[in-house]
Amino acid sequence: MPVVFFHGVLGFLPYGLTIDLLAEMHAGAIYLPIFPTWAVAAPPSVRLSPCDRPLQLPELVVSLRGMLCGARAAFLANSVGSGLLGAVLERAPELAGAAVFSDPICFELSSGDVLHNFLYAEPPCCGGRWPRDYVH
């Protein structure tokens, strides 16, 4: 199964070791779409290689379908890349054989309840439950 990795806001710089280990452990294809930092108000653009023109989200879905040739992929996304992965999988869930959201952005942080709980919620008093139920 091919692997597709959507990086975070700093590009591939922080992921060198992760990508090296992934390449050692995975014999199949590994795709690393490149996307620049974007403003929150602007839709993300993605490059499948440094020479390509930037793709908007619908074009990215079409390109991924073409690259994968009907196969499902294991998607891995970190930080801001998780937002892009969520948008891709919302439009084309058939592309995913598996998906891992590592340190995902908070999709509902603009919601008052989520924001309040994220900033002010106290962890449960039971020590055994804290690591499992509360991540801040």
Side-chain angles (χ1 to χ4, degrees), residues 66-125:
M67 284 184 345
L68 297 173
C69 300
R72 290 178 172 256
F75 287 89
L76 173 61
N78 181 257
S79 186
V80 173
S82 66
L84 182 59
L85 177 56
V88 166
L89 296 183
E90 183 177 40
R91 286 166 175 74
E94 72 280 358
L95 295 176
V100 175
F101 292 78
S102 170
D103 191 22
I105 60 171
C106 186
F107 296 103
E108 295 282 327
L109 199 54
S110 60
S111 163
D113 291 340
V114 174
L115 181 60
H116 180 272
N117 289 334
F118 181 79
L119 292 174
Y120 302 114
E122 293 294 326
C125 63

Side-chain angles (χ1 to χ4, degrees), residues 4-51:
V4 180
F5 177 68
F6 290 138
H7 61 80
V9 74
L10 295 177
F12 290 112
L13 182 64
Y15 307 108
L17 181 59
T18 302
I19 294 168
D20 285 346
L21 290 172
L22 185 60
E24 286 178 20
M25 296 177 357
H26 183 68
I30 300 172
Y31 297 102
L32 305 168
I34 304 162
F35 55 92
T37 304
W38 61 80
V40 174
S45 61
V46 179
R47 294 177 189 271
L48 297 177
S49 78
C51 299

